[in-house]
Amino acid sequence: MPRPRLLTSDDWPEPELRAAVLAGELVAVGPCWASPAEPQTPSLRAAAAGWVLRDARLIACTLTAAWIWGAVSRPPAPLEACIPPQVRVHVGPEVRLREVRIDVDDTAVLARLRVALPARTAIDLLRMPGPTAGAFGAAEASAVHGLLAIGAVSAAELRTRLTALGTIPMVRQAERRLRAVQDGAGGTGGAVR
């Protein structure tokens, strides 16, 4: 499979890239740019995220993974990545890094970037602490809704995976959040508890 054609500020000065967007010659793909004719595939978005997440030990997760899979239209700022607890990596301010236990079976490699699979992404988003105590953020709810809407994961699969987690923290709250997302209360209309 040919590598997606992306341009970065390594290729051209950023003002020229932004001018090309205004002229309709390029479109933004996360932190990179591509031809408007280039299909916006998960591989293209992974290649764009990989330009920032350059360390091969980093795994694109949560909202970044949801964007790569096509569940949301824009990547988060900063990009979100995770690493296993025993790994130490230095990242800049353009990356929010979390330590998590993640099996290789819960990831896929797209354009040389390891990405959390849609089911793992949805579970992590559902279990994530919200912007305020007990609140589920609109961005996370929208991403889970997007993963369900594009068919990347089913609600039944998520319920099964949540049940299999047993009594680890945030599982029961994640189940309530999933029900709220399915009922439409988890959209952009406010926080879901």
Side-chain angles (χ1 to χ4, degrees), residues 5-187:
R5 302 207 19 111
L6 288 173
L7 293 172
T8 70
S9 57
D10 290 343
D11 301 312
W12 290 359
E14 192 166 332
E16 287 187 34
L17 291 164
R18 294 193 182 278
V21 169
L22 293 174
E25 298 167 355
L26 293 176
V27 294
V29 181
C32 302
W33 291 266
S35 164
E38 187 73 38
Q40 297 286 316
T41 63
S43 291
L44 182 75
R45 290 185 290 270
W51 183 70
V52 174
L53 305 175
R54 295 177 188 208
D55 191 307
R57 298 171 293 178
L58 295 174
I59 303 166
C61 65
T62 55
L63 293 173
T64 299
W67 171 68
I68 288 170
W69 294 117
V72 294
S73 61
R74 289 192 172 95
L79 291 180
E80 297 173 347
C82 63
I83 54 169
Q86 68 276 15
V87 175
R88 296 292 172 253
V89 174
H90 175 74
V91 295
E94 66 280 357
V95 178
R96 179 178 296 137
L97 188 61
R98 298 179 17 205
E99 284 186 7
V100 299
R101 294 180 64 131
I102 187 165
D103 293 331
V104 172
D105 294 344
D106 276 339
T107 66
V109 176
L110 298 173
R112 292 183 270 171
L113 176 66
R114 189 161 296 282
V115 181
L117 290 173
R120 173 61 191 247
T121 299
I123 295 295
D124 288 347
L125 289 166
L126 288 165
R127 292 185 57 236
M128 184 176 286
T132 60
F136 185 40
E140 291 80 9
S142 178
V144 171
H145 180 268
L147 288 165
L148 291 166
I150 65 172
V153 67
S154 70
E157 179 183 0
L158 294 179
R159 283 191 296 273
T160 300
R161 286 182 69 128
L162 286 169
T163 300
L165 291 175
T167 59
I168 67 170
M170 301 291 288
V171 170
R172 299 302 155 246
Q173 189 164 9
E175 290 170 343
R176 288 190 299 275
R177 289 172 172 178
L178 177 59
R179 283 191 300 274
V181 167
Q182 288 181 276
D183 293 341

